[in-house]
């Protein structure tokens, strides 16, 4: 069985901008990630992933922007983010039918935080993708302790990727996928800005790597379908973008829009049955002046590159997974993919 390897470890370099030290969302100071992975018997392949900005300890909210590429999904708290341009809680990702239990657990977590003893209104932010091909989604296996565990376990350092947390049962572009992360450093008039991305990928289309289509049958992977009915055309993607740049909510909305655009770079078909959501937030001190519009161009370039690489990492770091009713999602075979890229004269980093 092949070992998971990030894109850069395979020689696949996306774009030209430098990455942060970890090439991860946790390169943004104060941002931590935690997972709870649920694997139970033959039927449960699910979990929770939490993106936790430490800045929310001292502040009641962080500026945020949202862009919905296709709204056939659920993001609890999205209307208030759109209305007020802020988040009040960490961002939790999970499976479709577990969204609402996760939101309740996130409220519990926030009400327990010091300084929030008198809070009477709170907007939890929880998003989802559908892991029902590999997991018994109707069982709704995610419970409060799993959400609280992911929040408590959140750490700096390089987050686990692939079939972990909220990505345990997901797939994308014909292959097993899951959680992926990446980062970029953007040079602006006010210095270097870090842009970090974490994705939960679970959408349809034809995988593209460095512009080369990679279809399952080309690399020896069986075409997948549910017994007795065709496979659902798309089951969503959630993209979380963090930055230490001083951007306001409107500007962060523009950044989130580019995050959705980046899905096209890896071959998304933006199916009507998919819920594609991007949420961008800033950890910068709100007392600092807002970035001028001219500073957005390098940030846009950074988010496009980081999302593309995070999506590829979500695939390359995943393992072949057998789930409910014996259904299988196959990992991208690294060696065969690299052979195909070489045949198309793609330059790989050695």
């Amino acid at each position: 069985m092949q070992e998971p390897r990030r894109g850069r470890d395979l020689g696949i370099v996306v774009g030209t901008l430098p990455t942060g030290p970890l090439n991860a969302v946790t390169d943004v100071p104060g941002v931590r990630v935690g997972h709870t992975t649920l694997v139970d018997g033959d039927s449960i392949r699910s979990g929770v992933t939490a993106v936790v900005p430490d800045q929310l300890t001292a502040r009641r909210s962080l500026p945020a922007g949202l862009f919905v590429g296709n709204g056939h999904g659920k993001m609890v708290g999205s209307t208030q983010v759109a209305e007020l341009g802020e988040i009040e809680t960490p961002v939790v990702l999970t499976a479709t039918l577990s969204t609402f239990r996760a939101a309740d657990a996130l409220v519990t977590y926030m009400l327990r935080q010091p300084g929030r003893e008198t809070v009477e209104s709170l907007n939890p932010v929880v998003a989802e993708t559908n892991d029902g091909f590999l997991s018994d989604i109707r069982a709704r296996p995610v419970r409060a302790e799993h959400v609280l565990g992911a929040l408590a376990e959140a750490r700096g350092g390089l987050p686990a990727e692939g079939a972990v947390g909220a990505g345990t049962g997901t797939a994308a572009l014909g292959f097993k996928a899951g959680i992926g992360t990446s980062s970029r450093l953007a040079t602006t008039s006010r210095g270097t800005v870090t842009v970090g991305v974490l994705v939960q990928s679970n959408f349809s289309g034809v995988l593209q790597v460095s512009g080369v289509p990679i279809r399952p049958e080309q690399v020896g992977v069986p075409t997948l379908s549910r017994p007795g009915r065709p496979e659902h055309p798309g089951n969503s993607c959630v993209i979380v973008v963090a930055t230490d740049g001083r951007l306001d909510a409107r500007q962060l909305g523009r950044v989130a829009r580019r995050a959705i655009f980046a899905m096209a770079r890896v071959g998304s078909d933006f199916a009507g049955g998919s819920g594609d959501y991007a949420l961008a937030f800033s950890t910068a001190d709100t007392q600092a002046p807002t970035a001028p519009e001219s500073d957005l161009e390098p940030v846009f370039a950074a988010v496009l590159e980081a999302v593309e690489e995070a999506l590829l990492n979500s695939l390359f770091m995943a393992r072949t997974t057998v789930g409910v009713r014996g259904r299988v999602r196959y990992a991208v075979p690294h060696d065969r993919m690299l052979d195909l890229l070489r045949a198309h004269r793609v330059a790989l980093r050695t």
Side-chain angles (χ1 to χ4, degrees), residues 74-139:
K74 284 153 281 297
M75 179 179 275
V76 173
S78 60
T79 55
Q80 186 165 314
V81 173
E83 182 72 19
L84 300 183
E86 62 184 26
I87 58 171
E88 299 176 324
T89 72
V91 181
V92 169
L93 311 179
T94 190
T96 301
L97 295 184
S98 295
T99 304
F100 316 103
R101 288 179 176 173
D104 184 71
L106 182 54
V107 170
T108 296
Y109 169 82
M110 291 303 298
L111 294 181
R112 291 175 178 173
Q113 299 307 299
R116 287 173 167 80
E117 292 82 4
T118 61
V119 167
E120 295 183 347
S121 178
L122 190 70
N123 186 48
V125 178
V126 179
E128 54 78 32
T129 72
N130 191 310
D131 58 17
F133 185 85
L134 286 175
S135 191
D136 179 5
I137 197 167
R138 288 174 59 87

Side-chain angles (χ1 to χ4, degrees), residues 308-343:
E308 180 180 0
E309 185 161 350
L311 290 169
L312 293 178
N313 284 337
S314 77
L315 288 145
F316 300 156
M317 289 295 289
R319 296 180 184 270
T320 295
T321 302
V322 181
V324 65
R325 301 189 183 96
R327 297 171 182 160
V328 183
R329 288 290 197 180
Y330 294 92
V332 177
H334 296 164
D335 291 346
R336 294 184 179 186
M337 175 190 67
L338 293 174
D339 287 343
L340 193 57
L341 293 178
R342 292 187 187 101

Side-chain angles (χ1 to χ4, degrees), residues 58-75:
R59 295 160 57 182
R60 290 302 177 98
S61 65
L62 299 178
L66 174 72
F67 185 73
V68 181
N70 194 70
H72 195 203
K74 284 153 281 297
M75 179 179 275

Side-chain angles (χ1 to χ4, degrees), residues 67-73 236 260 270-277:
F67 185 73
V68 181
N70 194 70
H72 195 203
S236 308
I260 293 293
F270 297 101
S274 186
D276 303 321
Y277 295 79

Side-chain angles (χ1 to χ4, degrees), residues 34-71:
H35 300 295
T36 297
T37 299
L38 300 178
V39 176
D40 188 8
D42 297 329
S43 61
I44 300 301
R45 306 286 185 269
S46 195
V48 179
T49 295
V51 180
V52 183
D54 282 339
Q55 290 79 3
L56 282 173
T57 301
R59 295 160 57 182
R60 290 302 177 98
S61 65
L62 299 178
L66 174 72
F67 185 73
V68 181
N70 194 70

